[in-house]
Amino acid sequence: MCRMCAVNLFRVFPPNYQSSVSDGGENYDDEPMFDPAWPHLQIVYDLLLQFITSPCLDAKVAKKYIDHSFILRLLDLSNSEDPRERECLKTILHRVYGKFMVHRPFIRKAISNIFYRFVFETERHNGIAELLEIFGSISSGFALPLKEEHKIFLWRVLIPLYKPKTLGVYFQQLSFCVTQFIEKEPKLSSTVIRGLLKYWPITNSQKEVMFLGELEEILEAINMVEFQKIMFRLFWRIGCCINSFHFQVAERALFFWNNDQIVNLIAHNRHAILPIILPALEKNAQNHWNQAVLNLSLNVRKMFMEMDDGLFMSCHAHFKEEEAKLSLLTEKRKEEWKRVENAASLQPITGNTAVLVTTFATSIVC
Protein backbone atom coordinates (compact mmCIF):
# COMPACT_ATOMS: atom_id res chain seq x y z
CA MET A 1 0.00 0.00 0.00
CA CYS A 2 2.72 2.49 0.98
CA ARG A 3 4.75 1.67 -2.15
CA MET A 4 1.66 2.14 -4.35
CA CYS A 5 0.96 5.54 -2.71
CA ALA A 6 4.59 6.58 -3.09
CA VAL A 7 4.65 5.71 -6.80
CA ASN A 8 1.39 7.52 -7.54
CA LEU A 9 1.64 10.56 -5.28
CA PHE A 10 5.27 11.51 -4.69
CA ARG A 11 6.53 13.75 -7.44
CA VAL A 12 8.71 16.81 -7.91
CA PHE A 13 6.84 19.92 -8.97
CA PRO A 14 8.22 21.62 -12.11
CA PRO A 15 10.17 24.89 -11.66
CA ASN A 16 7.24 27.07 -12.73
CA TYR A 17 5.00 25.28 -10.24
CA GLN A 18 5.71 27.92 -7.63
CA SER A 19 3.76 29.73 -4.97
CA SER A 20 0.94 31.85 -6.33
CA VAL A 21 1.89 34.53 -3.78
CA SER A 22 5.53 34.80 -4.80
CA ASP A 23 5.24 38.34 -6.16
CA GLY A 24 4.98 40.06 -2.81
CA GLY A 25 1.53 38.97 -1.76
CA GLU A 26 -0.54 40.86 -4.30
CA ASN A 27 -2.34 37.75 -5.54
CA TYR A 28 -4.39 36.82 -2.48
CA ASP A 29 -7.52 36.47 -4.61
CA ASP A 30 -6.00 34.76 -7.65
CA GLU A 31 -7.85 31.78 -9.07
CA PRO A 32 -6.36 28.52 -7.69
CA MET A 33 -4.51 26.17 -10.02
CA PHE A 34 -6.12 22.76 -10.46
CA ASP A 35 -4.00 19.71 -11.27
CA PRO A 36 -5.42 17.88 -14.31
CA ALA A 37 -4.33 14.58 -12.71
CA TRP A 38 -6.52 15.20 -9.64
CA PRO A 39 -9.19 12.50 -10.41
CA HIS A 40 -6.42 9.90 -10.27
CA LEU A 41 -4.65 11.47 -7.28
CA GLN A 42 -7.91 11.71 -5.33
CA ILE A 43 -8.46 7.94 -5.53
CA VAL A 44 -4.98 7.30 -4.16
CA TYR A 45 -5.40 9.86 -1.37
CA ASP A 46 -8.74 8.30 -0.39
CA LEU A 47 -7.16 4.85 -0.26
CA LEU A 48 -4.29 6.17 1.88
CA LEU A 49 -6.70 7.88 4.28
CA GLN A 50 -8.83 4.73 4.61
CA PHE A 51 -5.66 2.71 5.23
CA ILE A 52 -4.38 5.02 7.98
CA THR A 53 -7.76 5.37 9.74
CA SER A 54 -8.56 1.65 9.55
CA PRO A 55 -9.04 0.12 13.03
CA CYS A 56 -7.30 -3.00 11.71
CA LEU A 57 -4.04 -1.11 11.15
CA ASP A 58 -1.42 -1.88 13.80
CA ALA A 59 0.64 1.28 14.30
CA LYS A 60 3.63 -0.73 15.58
CA VAL A 61 3.80 -2.64 12.30
CA ALA A 62 2.82 0.25 10.00
CA LYS A 63 5.49 2.62 11.40
CA LYS A 64 8.11 0.59 9.50
CA TYR A 65 6.51 1.67 6.23
CA ILE A 66 5.03 5.05 7.14
CA ASP A 67 8.46 6.19 8.27
CA HIS A 68 10.31 9.52 8.41
CA SER A 69 11.08 9.45 4.70
CA PHE A 70 7.42 8.80 3.82
CA ILE A 71 6.24 11.63 6.08
CA LEU A 72 8.80 14.08 4.66
CA ARG A 73 7.65 13.36 1.12
CA LEU A 74 4.02 13.86 2.16
CA LEU A 75 4.97 17.22 3.65
CA ASP A 76 6.76 18.17 0.42
CA LEU A 77 3.46 17.70 -1.41
CA SER A 78 1.90 20.44 0.74
CA ASN A 79 3.48 22.93 -1.70
CA SER A 80 0.98 21.81 -4.36
CA GLU A 81 -0.95 24.63 -6.01
CA ASP A 82 -4.13 22.54 -6.06
CA PRO A 83 -6.16 23.42 -2.92
CA ARG A 84 -7.98 20.06 -3.10
CA GLU A 85 -4.69 18.19 -2.77
CA ARG A 86 -3.57 20.38 0.13
CA GLU A 87 -6.88 19.76 1.92
CA CYS A 88 -6.47 15.97 1.55
CA LEU A 89 -2.89 16.16 2.78
CA LYS A 90 -3.96 18.20 5.80
CA THR A 91 -6.43 15.48 6.82
CA ILE A 92 -3.96 12.64 6.21
CA LEU A 93 -1.09 14.31 8.08
CA HIS A 94 -3.37 15.02 11.02
CA ARG A 95 -4.42 11.35 11.12
CA VAL A 96 -0.80 10.22 10.89
CA TYR A 97 0.10 12.51 13.80
CA GLY A 98 -2.77 11.09 15.87
CA LYS A 99 -2.07 7.43 15.06
CA PHE A 100 1.74 7.26 15.20
CA MET A 101 2.80 8.74 18.54
CA VAL A 102 6.40 7.74 17.86
CA HIS A 103 6.51 10.12 14.87
CA ARG A 104 5.02 13.16 16.64
CA PRO A 105 8.30 14.95 17.55
CA PHE A 106 9.62 14.35 14.03
CA ILE A 107 6.45 15.75 12.39
CA ARG A 108 6.61 18.89 14.54
CA LYS A 109 10.28 19.35 13.67
CA ALA A 110 9.65 18.79 9.94
CA ILE A 111 6.84 21.36 9.90
CA SER A 112 9.12 23.78 11.76
CA ASN A 113 11.78 23.36 9.08
CA ILE A 114 9.25 24.21 6.33
CA PHE A 115 8.31 27.38 8.23
CA TYR A 116 12.00 28.30 8.73
CA ARG A 117 12.69 27.89 5.01
CA PHE A 118 9.63 29.94 4.12
CA VAL A 119 10.40 32.84 6.48
CA PHE A 120 14.18 33.10 6.18
CA GLU A 121 14.90 31.84 2.66
CA THR A 122 12.18 31.63 0.02
CA GLU A 123 8.96 33.33 1.22
CA ARG A 124 7.34 30.93 -1.26
CA HIS A 125 5.08 28.09 -0.19
CA ASN A 126 1.48 27.27 -1.02
CA GLY A 127 0.68 25.17 2.04
CA ILE A 128 1.53 27.44 4.98
CA ALA A 129 -2.13 27.98 5.89
CA GLU A 130 -2.86 24.23 5.87
CA LEU A 131 0.27 23.40 7.89
CA LEU A 132 -0.74 26.03 10.45
CA GLU A 133 -4.20 24.45 10.64
CA ILE A 134 -2.54 21.12 11.42
CA PHE A 135 -0.39 22.74 14.07
CA GLY A 136 -3.41 24.55 15.52
CA SER A 137 -5.04 21.17 16.13
CA ILE A 138 -1.81 19.76 17.55
CA SER A 139 -1.26 22.69 19.92
CA SER A 140 -4.81 22.44 21.29
CA GLY A 141 -3.77 19.08 22.76
CA PHE A 142 -0.59 20.28 24.46
CA ALA A 143 -0.48 19.39 28.16
CA LEU A 144 -0.05 22.05 30.86
CA PRO A 145 2.32 23.47 31.85
CA LEU A 146 3.70 23.95 28.36
CA LYS A 147 7.05 22.32 27.67
CA GLU A 148 10.01 24.58 26.94
CA GLU A 149 10.16 23.04 23.45
CA HIS A 150 6.69 24.43 22.66
CA LYS A 151 7.53 27.91 23.98
CA ILE A 152 10.65 27.96 21.82
CA PHE A 153 8.50 26.96 18.83
CA LEU A 154 6.22 29.93 19.51
CA TRP A 155 9.11 32.43 19.66
CA ARG A 156 11.37 31.03 16.93
CA VAL A 157 8.84 29.67 14.44
CA LEU A 158 5.34 31.10 14.82
CA ILE A 159 6.12 34.74 15.64
CA PRO A 160 8.56 35.18 12.69
CA LEU A 161 5.68 34.10 10.42
CA TYR A 162 4.26 37.61 10.95
CA LYS A 163 7.20 38.96 8.94
CA PRO A 164 6.57 37.85 5.29
CA LYS A 165 4.69 40.11 2.89
CA THR A 166 2.23 37.29 2.21
CA LEU A 167 0.90 37.25 5.79
CA GLY A 168 -2.66 37.87 4.58
CA VAL A 169 -2.79 34.39 3.01
CA TYR A 170 -2.43 32.57 6.34
CA PHE A 171 -3.09 35.29 8.94
CA GLN A 172 -6.27 33.70 10.32
CA GLN A 173 -4.59 30.31 10.89
CA LEU A 174 -1.49 31.91 12.45
CA SER A 175 -3.66 34.01 14.76
CA PHE A 176 -5.49 30.87 15.90
CA CYS A 177 -2.22 29.05 16.70
CA VAL A 178 -0.85 32.00 18.69
CA THR A 179 -4.15 32.37 20.58
CA GLN A 180 -3.94 28.70 21.56
CA PHE A 181 -0.60 29.31 23.25
CA ILE A 182 -1.85 32.42 25.08
CA GLU A 183 -4.98 30.65 26.31
CA LYS A 184 -2.89 27.81 27.69
CA GLU A 185 -0.29 30.09 29.27
CA PRO A 186 -1.37 33.78 29.61
CA LYS A 187 2.20 34.80 30.56
CA LEU A 188 3.13 34.33 26.90
CA SER A 189 0.98 37.32 25.86
CA SER A 190 3.81 39.79 26.56
CA THR A 191 6.19 37.57 24.55
CA VAL A 192 3.82 37.62 21.56
CA ILE A 193 3.37 41.41 21.75
CA ARG A 194 7.16 41.86 21.84
CA GLY A 195 7.35 39.72 18.70
CA LEU A 196 4.67 41.77 16.93
CA LEU A 197 6.53 44.98 17.78
CA LYS A 198 9.78 43.45 16.51
CA TYR A 199 8.25 42.62 13.11
CA TRP A 200 6.01 45.70 12.86
CA PRO A 201 5.31 46.51 9.16
CA ILE A 202 6.20 50.21 9.11
CA THR A 203 5.75 50.64 5.35
CA ASN A 204 2.81 48.28 4.80
CA SER A 205 -0.50 49.82 5.91
CA GLN A 206 -2.56 46.71 5.14
CA LYS A 207 -0.38 44.62 7.45
CA GLU A 208 -0.42 47.35 10.10
CA VAL A 209 -4.21 47.09 10.30
CA MET A 210 -3.87 43.29 10.71
CA PHE A 211 -1.27 43.73 13.46
CA LEU A 212 -3.48 46.22 15.31
CA GLY A 213 -6.39 43.76 15.16
CA GLU A 214 -4.14 41.03 16.54
CA LEU A 215 -2.93 43.32 19.33
CA GLU A 216 -6.49 44.09 20.38
CA GLU A 217 -7.32 40.39 20.67
CA ILE A 218 -4.23 39.76 22.82
CA LEU A 219 -4.87 42.79 25.03
CA GLU A 220 -8.39 41.52 25.74
CA ALA A 221 -6.86 38.45 27.39
CA ILE A 222 -3.70 39.93 28.97
CA ASN A 223 -3.31 40.32 32.73
CA MET A 224 -2.07 43.48 34.43
CA VAL A 225 1.43 42.18 35.23
CA GLU A 226 2.16 41.16 31.64
CA PHE A 227 0.62 44.38 30.32
CA GLN A 228 2.91 46.53 32.45
CA LYS A 229 5.96 44.73 31.03
CA ILE A 230 5.29 45.94 27.50
CA MET A 231 3.07 49.02 27.82
CA PHE A 232 5.78 51.63 27.15
CA ARG A 233 6.96 50.12 23.84
CA LEU A 234 3.42 49.14 22.90
CA PHE A 235 1.88 52.58 23.34
CA TRP A 236 4.80 54.29 21.67
CA ARG A 237 3.98 52.19 18.59
CA ILE A 238 0.24 52.83 18.96
CA GLY A 239 1.03 56.57 19.14
CA CYS A 240 2.91 56.28 15.83
CA CYS A 241 -0.11 54.51 14.31
CA ILE A 242 -2.47 57.22 15.59
CA ASN A 243 -0.37 59.78 13.67
CA SER A 244 -0.33 57.66 10.50
CA PHE A 245 -1.36 59.49 7.30
CA HIS A 246 -3.16 56.31 6.25
CA PHE A 247 -6.59 56.89 7.77
CA GLN A 248 -7.40 53.16 8.22
CA VAL A 249 -4.29 52.64 10.36
CA ALA A 250 -5.00 55.73 12.49
CA GLU A 251 -8.67 54.80 12.81
CA ARG A 252 -7.88 51.18 13.81
CA ALA A 253 -5.45 52.35 16.51
CA LEU A 254 -8.00 54.81 17.93
CA PHE A 255 -10.66 52.07 18.05
CA PHE A 256 -8.68 50.53 20.94
CA TRP A 257 -10.48 53.06 23.16
CA ASN A 258 -13.83 51.48 22.21
CA ASN A 259 -12.77 48.29 24.02
CA ASP A 260 -13.72 48.34 27.72
CA GLN A 261 -11.03 45.83 28.71
CA ILE A 262 -8.26 47.90 27.09
CA VAL A 263 -9.65 51.16 28.52
CA ASN A 264 -9.57 49.54 31.96
CA LEU A 265 -5.88 48.61 31.50
CA ILE A 266 -5.10 52.14 30.31
CA ALA A 267 -6.99 53.74 33.20
CA HIS A 268 -4.98 51.76 35.76
CA ASN A 269 -1.72 52.80 34.07
CA ARG A 270 -2.70 56.28 32.86
CA HIS A 271 0.28 57.98 34.55
CA ALA A 272 2.61 56.03 32.25
CA ILE A 273 0.45 55.92 29.11
CA LEU A 274 -1.00 59.44 28.84
CA PRO A 275 2.40 61.20 28.45
CA ILE A 276 3.16 58.83 25.53
CA ILE A 277 -0.21 59.10 23.77
CA LEU A 278 -1.15 62.75 24.34
CA PRO A 279 1.35 64.26 21.82
CA ALA A 280 -0.06 61.98 19.10
CA LEU A 281 -3.63 62.99 19.96
CA GLU A 282 -2.76 66.71 20.00
CA LYS A 283 -1.05 66.51 16.60
CA ASN A 284 -4.10 64.79 15.12
CA ALA A 285 -6.47 67.28 16.72
CA GLN A 286 -4.48 70.15 15.19
CA ASN A 287 -4.08 69.06 11.59
CA HIS A 288 -5.06 65.50 10.60
CA TRP A 289 -6.47 65.51 7.08
CA ASN A 290 -9.18 62.89 7.75
CA GLN A 291 -12.26 64.14 9.59
CA ALA A 292 -13.15 60.75 11.09
CA VAL A 293 -9.64 60.35 12.55
CA LEU A 294 -9.74 63.92 13.84
CA ASN A 295 -13.10 63.29 15.59
CA LEU A 296 -11.88 60.02 17.11
CA SER A 297 -8.73 61.74 18.38
CA LEU A 298 -10.84 64.42 20.07
CA ASN A 299 -13.04 61.73 21.65
CA VAL A 300 -10.04 59.85 23.07
CA ARG A 301 -8.60 63.15 24.30
CA LYS A 302 -11.90 63.83 26.07
CA MET A 303 -11.86 60.34 27.65
CA PHE A 304 -8.42 61.00 29.14
CA MET A 305 -9.60 64.37 30.42
CA GLU A 306 -12.58 62.73 32.17
CA MET A 307 -10.37 59.94 33.47
CA ASP A 308 -7.96 62.25 35.30
CA ASP A 309 -8.31 65.99 34.67
CA GLY A 310 -5.28 66.95 36.79
CA LEU A 311 -2.97 64.51 35.03
CA PHE A 312 -4.32 65.58 31.63
CA MET A 313 -3.66 69.28 32.32
CA SER A 314 -0.15 68.50 33.60
CA CYS A 315 0.69 66.40 30.50
CA HIS A 316 -0.88 69.01 28.22
CA ALA A 317 1.22 71.80 29.78
CA HIS A 318 4.35 69.64 29.36
CA PHE A 319 3.40 69.00 25.71
CA LYS A 320 3.05 72.75 25.08
CA GLU A 321 6.46 73.39 26.67
CA GLU A 322 8.08 70.71 24.51
CA GLU A 323 6.34 72.10 21.43
CA ALA A 324 7.64 75.61 22.22
CA LYS A 325 11.18 74.26 22.69
CA LEU A 326 10.95 72.38 19.40
CA SER A 327 9.69 75.49 17.62
CA LEU A 328 12.58 77.48 19.06
CA LEU A 329 15.10 74.86 17.93
CA THR A 330 13.56 74.89 14.44
CA GLU A 331 13.92 78.66 14.23
CA LYS A 332 17.54 78.47 15.42
CA ARG A 333 18.26 75.81 12.82
CA LYS A 334 16.78 77.98 10.06
CA GLU A 335 18.83 80.97 11.19
CA GLU A 336 21.98 78.84 11.28
CA TRP A 337 21.35 77.62 7.74
CA LYS A 338 20.77 81.20 6.55
CA ARG A 339 24.07 82.22 8.10
CA VAL A 340 25.84 79.32 6.33
CA GLU A 341 24.16 80.18 3.02
CA ASN A 342 25.15 83.85 3.31
CA ALA A 343 28.76 82.93 4.13
CA ALA A 344 28.86 80.52 1.18
CA SER A 345 27.43 83.10 -1.23
CA LEU A 346 30.27 85.53 -0.37
CA GLN A 347 33.01 83.02 -1.25
CA PRO A 348 34.68 83.51 -4.67
CA ILE A 349 34.01 80.80 -7.26
CA THR A 350 37.24 79.08 -8.34
CA GLY A 351 37.83 75.94 -10.39
CA ASN A 352 35.47 73.09 -9.52
CA THR A 353 34.16 74.63 -6.33
CA ALA A 354 30.52 73.75 -5.62
CA VAL A 355 28.16 76.67 -6.14
CA LEU A 356 25.25 77.36 -3.81
CA VAL A 357 22.12 77.73 -5.94
CA THR A 358 19.46 79.85 -4.25
CA THR A 359 15.74 79.42 -4.67
CA PHE A 360 15.63 82.77 -6.48
CA ALA A 361 18.19 81.62 -9.04
CA THR A 362 16.25 78.44 -9.77
CA SER A 363 12.81 79.97 -10.09
CA ILE A 364 11.39 79.85 -13.60
CA VAL A 365 8.97 82.49 -14.80
CA CYS A 366 6.28 80.94 -17.01
Side-chain angles (χ1 to χ4, degrees):
M1 171 61 80
C2 289
R3 183 181 292 179
M4 183 275 291
C5 290
V7 168
N8 285 274
L9 297 177
F10 299 156
R11 62 205 188 278
V12 176
F13 299 127
N16 61 345
Y17 206 85
Q18 288 293 345
S19 171
S20 62
V21 294
S22 62
D23 61 349
E26 296 175 2
N27 293 337
Y28 294 161
D29 301 320
D30 272 5
E31 287 295 319
M33 299 282 289
F34 294 111
D35 193 328
W38 174 246
H40 169 72
L41 295 171
Q42 186 179 22
I43 294 169
V44 183
Y45 276 121
D46 287 344
L47 284 170
L48 180 58
L49 182 60
Q50 292 298 322
F51 174 66
I52 291 168
T53 55
S54 171
C56 302
L57 181 67
D58 186 347
K60 291 179 181 178
V61 175
K63 71 180 182 181
K64 298 175 185 176
Y65 306 99
I66 300 178
D67 55 7
H68 289 183
S69 174
F70 189 89
I71 292 166
L72 277 177
R73 298 191 74 182
L74 273 180
L75 284 168
D76 286 341
L77 293 175
S78 66
N79 197 24
S80 167
E81 288 195 357
D82 193 321
R84 300 168 299 183
E85 182 168 15
R86 297 200 303 270
E87 195 64 28
C88 275
L89 282 162
K90 181 181 74 176
T91 306
I92 289 167
L93 286 165
H94 193 266
R95 298 293 185 183
V96 169
Y97 187 89
K99 188 123 187 173
F100 299 92
M101 292 185 70
V102 68
H103 290 327
R104 288 182 180 182
F106 177 79
I107 292 171
R108 291 198 299 270
K109 185 177 179 182
I111 292 174
S112 298
N113 289 338
I114 291 172
F115 290 152
Y116 281 137
R117 203 175 305 119
F118 171 69
V119 172
F120 300 110
E121 292 180 17
T122 64
E123 288 200 12
R124 294 181 177 189
H125 200 285
N126 291 295
I128 297 298
E130 286 79 11
L131 291 174
L132 283 169
E133 281 188 50
I134 294 169
F135 203 86
S137 299
I138 292 170
S139 60
S140 64
F142 286 163
L144 295 176
L146 287 175
K147 294 179 182 177
E148 194 62 28
E149 168 202 344
H150 302 324
K151 294 178 187 178
I152 290 170
F153 179 86
L154 171 67
W155 179 251
R156 293 186 181 173
V157 181
L158 288 184
I159 290 177
L161 282 169
Y162 284 103
K163 180 184 175 184
K165 295 175 184 177
T166 55
L167 172 66
V169 175
Y170 55 84
F171 177 73
Q172 189 178 348
Q173 292 83 357
L174 177 58
S175 181
F176 176 77
C177 287
V178 170
T179 304
Q180 289 283 314
F181 278 87
I182 293 172
E183 285 177 357
K184 287 185 176 291
E185 196 159 322
K187 287 182 179 180
L188 293 172
S189 53
S190 59
T191 302
V192 174
I193 290 175
R194 272 193 286 268
L196 286 170
L197 295 174
K198 178 181 179 182
Y199 294 110
W200 197 270
I202 297 168
T203 59
N204 188 328
S205 300
Q206 186 182 2
K207 277 183 70 177
E208 273 194 288
V209 173
M210 288 187 211
F211 272 50
L212 287 165
E214 186 81 334
L215 275 179
E216 184 171 0
E217 281 192 29
I218 296 167
L219 289 173
E220 284 179 349
I222 201 170
N223 61 47
M224 191 64 73
V225 175
E226 296 303 312
F227 176 75
Q228 288 172 344
K229 289 179 183 177
I230 46 82
M231 63 183 179
F232 293 102
R233 285 183 61 197
L234 172 62
F235 278 88
W236 180 84
R237 174 52 62 193
I238 290 173
C240 293
C241 291
I242 287 171
N243 285 146
S244 172
F245 288 113
H246 194 292
F247 79 96
Q248 288 179 333
V249 174
E251 203 171 47
R252 190 66 188 81
L254 289 162
F255 281 158
F256 277 32
W257 278 264
N258 290 343
N259 189 307
D260 292 339
Q261 173 65 18
I262 295 174
V263 170
N264 183 50
L265 291 168
I266 292 169
H268 279 85
N269 298 279
R270 59 187 180 276
H271 290 87
I273 293 170
L274 183 55
I276 301 170
I277 290 295
L278 186 64
L281 295 174
E282 290 296 323
K283 287 173 188 173
N284 274 10
Q286 288 169 13
N287 58 10
H288 200 282
W289 68 271
N290 184 274
Q291 189 62 43
V293 171
L294 193 148
N295 291 338
L296 284 168
S297 300
L298 291 173
N299 289 341
V300 172
R301 188 175 178 275
K302 186 180 177 184
M303 285 177 71
F304 275 119
M305 200 182 296
E306 292 171 353
M307 204 181 283
D308 192 331
D309 188 51
L311 177 63
F312 180 86
M313 295 310 294
S314 171
C315 291
H316 190 266
H318 180 71
F319 169 74
K320 288 295 183 185
E321 286 175 19
E322 291 297 315
E323 204 174 40
K325 286 179 185 176
L326 190 62
S327 179
L328 190 63
L329 281 172
T330 304
E331 287 300 318
K332 283 184 179 178
R333 194 179 298 113
K334 284 181 181 177
E335 288 174 10
E336 194 66 25
W337 273 111
K338 282 181 183 177
R339 190 183 64 77
V340 171
E341 286 173 3
N342 289 334
S345 65
L346 297 173
Q347 294 295 321
I349 300 170
T350 56
N352 294 324
T353 307
V355 179
L356 180 68
V357 181
T358 65
T359 53
F360 303 107
T362 57
S363 61
I364 300 172
V365 180
C366 297

